[in-house]
Amino acid sequence: MKNQYVLVLHGGAGTISPEEIEAEKAYRDGMMVALNAGIAILERGGSAVDAVVETVRQLEDCPLFNAGHGAVFNEDQRHELDAAVMDGATLRAGAIASVDRIRNPVLTAREVMDGGRSVFLSADGAERFATERGLEMVDPGYFSTPLRRLQLEAVRRHDLNSQMLDHALAPRDGMPDGRFGTVGAVALDRAGHLAAATSTGGMTNKQAGRIGDAPVIGAGTYANDSTCAISATGTGEHFIRACAAHDIHARMKYGNQPLGQAMASTISETITPLGGEGGLIGVDGHGNIAMQFNSVGMYRAWVYEGYQPEAAIF
Ligand code: ASP
């Protein structure tokens, strides 16, 4: 029996005040462009892996989101980008961390996965690999936007040693819009396979060399055809310590919980008690989706084959 495809994306855990209608429209439009790119792939019978990679690539290129162009700054006023992809059919995975010259980190994560030699490459080695594979390289300044610099200054005024979720500073510091984070996508394709991808600039003012949950397989990204595909956004340290994405998989696999219940339990029983803030998106092998968060909002958009795409923030 042919499956019907499903695609879900997130643009980070965060909120926007209801007055900021203009900004909200821009974020919704950005998410829809990315969702439609993924839909186009699934619509012609393409794989879940191809769809999530292309969806995330589109979000990396959009300066509104904290991934690729528009990524946040670390404490050294530099960018260190992380990304991962996982194929639920084969359990192959690829991830990169702490790069600042690769235009689309998710494409390199995909190359790492397809290369098969390693799962996780970082910094110079990851960039050398990307260059060898012919991926597009850019000057680190490509990722910078004025808004991200303002955000860094705002955090450092507040506390030189704190790091903040992209969205978390704005309301308190009178920042303009643009406080939304990490991007990710999960998909079920018509062949019944699942995939997940996540990409991020991390957290504003993060320690140099710090790696978040996004590229850590089982924390911010996980896919397994026997259960679900998951992509996370939030305070990465807590998601790593909670093994968040794999925790949802394990609750489904060994505890027979449905996706929505497993995700709710992971948030309430592991992430929240650790003090973590953020959310997750997921899809299971039957095409059920879940999008849950303990932050005030989470930018997200989704589509079931044959239905209109939808987007939500709160
Ligand atoms: N999870 C990301 C990190 O900790 C940040 C985010 O989701 O905005 O690097």
Side-chain angles (χ1 to χ4, degrees):
M1 191 191 77
K2 187 181 88 138
N3 286 274
Q4 295 199 308
Y5 69 74
V6 176
L7 176 64
V8 187
L9 69 79
H10 70 76
T15 59
I16 194 165
S17 68
E19 301 86 63
E20 295 171 283
I21 304 294
E22 283 293 300
E24 178 178 337
K25 185 176 176 318
Y27 285 98
R28 283 177 181 270
D29 289 351
M31 290 196 291
M32 280 305 164
V33 167
L35 195 74
N36 283 325
I39 290 172
I41 289 171
L42 293 166
E43 194 61 45
R44 54 175 189 261
S47 72
V49 170
D50 285 344
V52 295
V53 168
E54 178 57 17
T55 301
V56 167
R57 187 188 73 81
Q58 295 276 343
L59 292 166
E60 286 178 340
D61 282 352
C62 177
L64 297 174
F65 299 99
N66 171 23
H69 181 45
V72 299
F73 286 97
N74 72 3
E75 64 180 1
D76 292 345
Q77 304 195 34
R78 293 183 47 230
H79 304 285
E80 291 185 308
L81 311 175
D82 305 334
V85 60
M86 186 160 182
D87 177 2
T90 59
L91 303 189
R92 292 183 314 143
I96 60 166
S98 303
V99 299
D100 72 349
R101 295 193 312 118
I102 298 171
R103 174 175 169 153
N104 290 109
V106 73
L107 296 183
T108 304
R110 168 85 194 253
E111 287 290 328
V112 172
M113 180 173 89
D114 290 344
R117 188 171 159 202
S118 307
V119 167
F120 201 168
L121 294 178
S122 70
D124 294 350
E127 290 181 346
R128 191 167 83 202
F129 173 80
T131 308
E132 284 165 8
R133 290 284 177 142
L135 290 159
E136 186 176 347
M137 307 301 283
V138 291
D139 184 88
Y142 162 78
F143 301 108
S144 307
T145 59
L147 176 69
R148 299 306 185 200
R149 216 172 269 288
L150 285 175
Q151 286 182 323
L152 179 69
E153 285 161 12
V155 175
R156 291 179 70 81
R157 268 201 305 278
H158 174 75
D159 177 356
L160 277 181
N161 293 319
S162 72
Q163 63 178 10
M164 286 209 190
L165 274 182
D166 188 24
H167 67 85
L169 8 146
R172 290 198 287 278
D173 290 299
M175 299 286 298
D177 58 71
R179 62 201 76 128
F180 314 101
T182 294
V183 305
V186 295
L188 168 71
D189 62 27
R190 285 184 183 150
H193 298 308
L194 298 171
T198 314
S199 180
T200 187
M203 292 172 71
T204 300
N205 201 41
K206 66 184 181 179
Q207 211 172 353
R210 177 262 193 194
I211 298 168
D213 60 312
V216 177
I217 299 302
T221 306
Y222 191 73
N224 187 321
D225 275 7
S226 71
T227 53
C228 60
I230 302 289
S231 173
T233 172
T235 51
E237 282 66 21
H238 305 103
F239 282 71
I240 292 173
R241 290 161 59 205
C243 303
H246 189 272
D247 192 66
I248 296 171
H249 156 78
R251 289 173 192 273
M252 294 176 70
K253 179 114 183 154
Y254 311 120
N256 292 317
Q257 291 186 15
L259 173 65
Q261 186 189 338
M263 189 178 283
S265 304
T266 294
I267 293 174
S268 66
E269 293 171 22
T270 65
I271 294 168
T272 303
L274 288 173
E277 183 192 351
L280 305 118
I281 56 170
V283 60
D284 70 16
H286 305 289
N288 300 303
I289 69 172
M291 306 173 289
Q292 299 179 20
F293 43 92
N294 68 0
S295 44
V296 184
M298 180 172 71
Y299 276 65
R300 57 202 189 276
W302 65 97
V303 65
Y304 298 97
E305 181 170 358
Y307 291 84
Q308 284 300 316
E310 294 186 63
I313 298 168
F314 299 102

